[in-house]
Amino acid sequence: MSIRHSAVWGRGHLIVIVGSQGHVLRSEDGGQRWKRGQTATRQDLSALAGTGAALIAAGHRGTLLSSRDDGQHWSEVGCGATADLRGVALRDDGEAIAVGLGGTVLRSGDHGHTWGAGPSPGDLCLEAAALDAEGRFLALALEGQLATLQGATWTCHKVPGRNPRALCARGELVIVGDGDGHAHASRDGGASWESHSTGTGRSIKALWLGAAGLVIASGEGGILAVSEDEGRTWRRAALRSDQHRCAAWGDDQGAIWCLGDGPAARSLDGGKSFTKVPVQAGDAPLDGPWEKVPVRGKFRGLWVQGQGRVVLVGDGGAIARTHDGGQTWERSAVEDAGALISVWGSGEAILAVGEGVSQIRSEDGGHRWMAVAGNPGGASVHGQGGTGAFAVLDGRVCRLDADGSRWVDLEVPRAPRFRAVWAGPEQRAVAVGSGGAIVRTVDGGATWEAAESGSSRDLSAIWGTGDELFVAGGLGVSDVLRSRDAGATWEVLAQVSGSLRSLWGDDAGTLWACGAGGVLLRSIDGGHTWRGEASGTWGTLFEVRGDGAEVWALGESLLLRRRHGASTG
């Protein structure tokens, strides 16, 4: 996966970079070694600001992240905005703004931990934010406007040039870079401008203004230009590249970083020379309470039966079972089952469904397996003790017949493509699917009724106990829903970044969710807020399940375990 580094911030030897797919890189030794940070988002991050140990990152679809510890840990912050955010600025006193498309302005007074709507300068594409010498917030609009926020009022000045996107400020000097490679400098808040060509002829995407008049410009097609007289005259750097550069930062001690696609351009002599330097880290971090459990194979479905008993199903009809918490595994395979996707069990009875021509079941804990007639395309299976089981096969809701030999299609209102099903006590069941569809039965599937979900997203995960149920799903951004009346009515509790695929909760009220891009989330307040945990992968996590002692998460060639009470760090 190609990663674009979109913004950079630093202090001394500490450098933090954010970019596409929610990626964060962090170095504590001036860029010699990098470590990936874990965030709860897979949205592209476009802007970064910091002061002291506080950092704020902003990105697509109103994404805002905050860190209180120099970027080691990040929390996603709700702001109510859906527009792409392109710029962020943070003062030492904790006042901050984030700006974006459609004139979106958000304000915070506590270093980015909470946000509210701010005054807008109009329907403008706000591309960048900065601070002037008096601590006032600046916002640059693509339409050629520089706006200054004084109290609750913006003052706008025209910026020369075409399509300005880059903004930097230091002291009373403000410099803007435009779409034709020109740099425009103002010393009076934008009332007047002095314009000079950088000689690049390409769009400037990033500017950094250092001490003693040093200015660095980088941008489209790998352009890199240096000025040593506050932008009056420019020279092209000798380092050539055709990869876009959209972030720049320096430390006033000679180190300068220009980043974007591919390797970074780094200078250690104040911009006199640049070299290409790889900016990369190893695998996603797994330095928290989760541990890897060795198991060979590609598995897609997970069921945790308690007391160290775990069942995995996956490609080629593969089945793996452990009775000792993963120390040893027993393996078998049912070739006709194809790729098995989901598994559920109760006592010695186990059911598994998948993409093959045969669905399967076992009555002896998984030693022997029997075919169950039913459509291919199994996506989900769940039951409740010995009272029956439900499955989603080829997008339809099915129930296992009385003798366990066949999955029977059920007549269900609304005809979306269903994705997941949950079976409850007293012959209740709930199925969820595309377009926010939720249906439920209270008579074992004989009749069904549609429920109003309040969501239009493709729902793909459901878990519950008793009358309280939780549902999640979406592409890129997921809704989390809750019902307290066995699925009759629903409320949307939260929106989280990432495509969630699975939910599970323990008896203590802690909820877990996982999905694409290695997203692994935890909620301790009933699903209202979520925090990401390090999963050790950027691949998909298919399922999260647990018992009273442990939580397990299954991913692409990866099995994780978190013991009850393990510290979150």
Side-chain angles (χ1 to χ4, degrees):
M1 178 173 55
S2 177
I3 301 300
R4 168 170 287 189
H5 301 125
S6 303
V8 57
W9 174 89
R11 184 188 68 244
H13 291 294
L14 173 66
I15 307 174
V16 181
I17 299 169
V18 300
S20 58
Q21 297 294 304
H23 279 254
V24 175
L25 290 174
R26 186 176 180 275
S27 174
E28 296 181 345
D29 55 12
Q32 296 183 54
R33 294 182 296 263
W34 297 90
K35 182 178 181 180
R36 279 184 177 141
Q38 186 78 9
T39 67
T41 184
R42 288 299 175 266
Q43 296 293 335
D44 292 346
L45 300 175
S46 308
L48 181 64
T51 181
L55 280 81
I56 302 170
H60 286 196
R61 299 185 181 182
T63 299
L64 282 166
L65 306 178
S66 70
S67 172
R68 304 184 184 190
D69 55 8
D70 288 330
Q72 295 184 68
H73 301 91
W74 295 84
S75 298
E76 187 167 8
V77 184
C79 65
T82 58
D84 290 352
L85 301 176
R86 299 288 181 82
V88 63
L90 173 61
R91 284 201 315 237
D92 291 343
D93 64 0
E95 288 286 327
I97 65 166
V99 302
L101 303 187
T104 299
V105 177
L106 302 170
R107 297 192 75 169
S108 172
D110 55 8
H111 293 90
H113 302 309
T114 60
W115 294 85
S120 173
D123 187 14
L124 300 170
C125 295
L126 302 177
E127 293 285 332
L131 289 165
D132 69 7
E134 298 179 19
R136 296 176 299 186
F137 291 110
L138 307 175
L140 176 66
L142 186 64
E143 293 83 354
Q145 297 283 333
L146 179 70
T148 303
L149 183 60
Q150 184 74 44
T153 304
W154 290 94
T155 302
C156 293
H157 292 286
K158 181 67 177 175
V159 177
R162 184 181 66 88
N163 295 340
R165 292 182 182 273
L167 169 68
C168 65
R170 187 164 183 159
E172 64 180 15
L173 178 61
V174 177
I175 301 180
V176 169
D178 71 15
D180 296 314
H182 292 90
H184 311 281
S186 176
R187 292 170 177 80
D188 54 13
S192 62
W193 296 89
E194 182 180 323
S195 302
H196 299 280
S197 173
T198 63
T200 63
R202 306 291 293 274
S203 178
I204 298 172
K205 299 295 182 67
L207 287 165
W208 177 72
L209 179 54
L214 179 64
V215 189
I216 304 297
S218 62
E220 189 177 75
I223 63 168
L224 187 55
V226 180
S227 172
E228 297 179 355
D229 54 8
E230 297 184 336
R232 296 182 178 87
T233 61
W234 294 83
R235 59 177 173 82
R236 295 283 301 273
L239 186 67
R240 293 290 184 260
S241 172
D242 59 359
Q243 294 178 310
H244 296 324
R245 297 187 175 117
C246 45
W249 171 82
D251 66 359
D252 282 340
Q253 304 298 316
I256 299 168
W257 292 79
C258 296
L259 302 113
D261 300 334
R266 183 183 68 177
S267 174
L268 297 176
D269 54 12
K272 294 181 174 58
S273 62
F274 285 85
T275 57
K276 291 183 180 180
V277 177
V279 177
Q280 59 189 19
D283 293 336
L286 186 64
D287 54 4
W290 292 86
E291 59 180 351
K292 291 183 179 181
V293 178
V295 61
R296 292 181 292 105
K298 294 183 178 180
F299 296 100
R300 302 284 297 276
L302 162 71
W303 185 251
V304 179
Q305 297 178 297
Q307 298 180 336
R309 299 175 64 193
V310 177
V311 181
L312 308 176
V313 298
D315 291 358
I319 303 155
R321 297 173 294 116
T322 180
H323 293 78
D324 54 17
Q327 297 182 52
T328 60
W329 294 90
E330 299 176 19
R331 298 175 176 274
S332 56
V334 181
E335 293 183 3
D336 288 345
L340 294 170
I341 303 298
S342 181
V343 60
W344 169 83
S346 177
E348 294 297 302
I350 305 174
L351 296 167
V353 299
E355 299 173 353
V357 297
S358 295
Q359 314 306 332
I360 58 175
R361 69 183 177 94
S362 173
E363 296 296 332
D364 60 2
H367 295 283
R368 291 171 297 178
W369 293 87
M370 297 166 281
V372 181
N375 294 326
S380 173
V381 61
H382 192 257
Q384 186 66 226
T387 62
F390 293 82
V392 173
L393 304 179
D394 195 26
R396 296 177 59 85
V397 181
C398 305
R399 176 166 180 158
L400 191 65
D401 66 6
D403 62 5
S405 64
R406 185 167 63 96
W407 288 104
V408 180
D409 285 353
L410 301 174
E411 293 296 327
V412 177
R414 297 186 62 174
R417 188 169 184 85
F418 288 101
R419 297 168 182 263
V421 65
W422 170 86
E426 301 175 355
Q427 296 195 10
R428 292 180 293 181
V430 178
V432 302
S434 58
I438 299 180
V439 296
R440 75 170 191 143
T441 180
V442 295
D443 55 13
T447 61
W448 294 80
E449 62 180 12
E452 182 59 47
S453 69
S455 172
S456 60
R457 303 191 190 278
D458 293 340
L459 304 176
S460 54
I462 181 169
W463 174 85
T465 178
D467 289 339
E468 189 172 44
L469 305 177
F470 294 87
V471 165
L475 181 62
V477 175
S478 292
D479 286 343
V480 179
L481 292 71
R482 179 180 64 189
S483 171
R484 287 180 164 173
D485 53 13
T489 60
W490 295 85
E491 61 176 329
V492 178
L493 292 181
Q495 289 186 336
V496 298
S497 293
S499 303
L500 298 183
R501 297 176 60 112
S502 180
L503 281 171
W504 181 80
D506 63 24
D507 293 337
T510 300
L511 294 170
W512 303 90
C514 67
V519 168
L520 184 55
L521 306 178
R522 177 174 177 256
S523 174
I524 59 174
D525 61 1
H528 291 278
T529 61
W530 297 79
R531 179 173 179 175
E533 296 202 348
S535 68
T537 182
W538 302 115
T540 297
L541 291 175
F542 299 115
E543 204 146 26
V544 58
R545 292 287 182 263
D547 58 22
E550 298 173 328
V551 185
W552 298 70
L554 176 67
E556 297 174 349
S557 302
L558 176 72
L559 182 62
L560 301 175
R561 177 177 57 204
R562 188 186 198 275
R563 299 186 188 279
H564 181 69
S567 173
T568 59

